[in-house]
């Protein structure tokens, strides 16, 4: 409210919240992907001898493009969520 009182536009007031939402969701997505990658490595190490018996040569991995797409979608979801939260707060 103080920023609006001194003349800040609605977009200028909302922008830090949208950036924070996008950053936090990208951070969470990056952490989830890192945990997934580490878990896949451990599973492959633990079950490496069994995989050929069931017809698999290894566990499927995400491509680099898929990882980037997931990070971008995570950023977008965080920004949209922050925007929806701001709308709900502004209605009150």
């Amino acid at each position: 409210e103080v920023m609006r009182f001194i003349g800040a536009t609605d977009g200028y007031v909302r922008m830090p919240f949208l950036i924070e939402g996008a950053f936090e969701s990208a951070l969470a997505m990056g952490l989830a992907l890192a945990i997934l990658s580490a878990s896949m490595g451990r599973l492959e190490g633990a079950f490496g001898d069994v995989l050929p018996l069931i017809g698999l040569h290894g566990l499927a991995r995400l491509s680099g493009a898929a990882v980037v797409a997931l990070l971008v979608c995570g950023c977008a979801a965080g920004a949209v969520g922050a925007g929806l939260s701001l709308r709900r707060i502004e209605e009150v």
Side-chain angles (χ1 to χ4, degrees), residues 32-42 61:
L33 288 171
I35 291 170
L36 176 66
S37 179
S39 298
M40 293 292 286
R42 291 183 64 94
R61 300 283 181 154

Side-chain angles (χ1 to χ4, degrees), residues 62-88:
L62 292 174
S63 67
V67 170
V68 170
L70 285 170
L71 287 171
V72 169
C73 288
C75 281
V80 167
L84 290 173
S85 295
L86 283 172
R87 279 198 183 152
R88 185 168 253 189

Side-chain angles (χ1 to χ4, degrees), residues 4-25:
R4 286 189 180 143
F5 181 73
I6 60 172
T9 63
D10 288 342
Y12 186 81
V13 173
R14 287 186 192 128
M15 191 57 62
F17 296 103
L18 297 175
I19 291 171
E20 181 182 1
F23 175 74
E24 287 177 1
S25 63

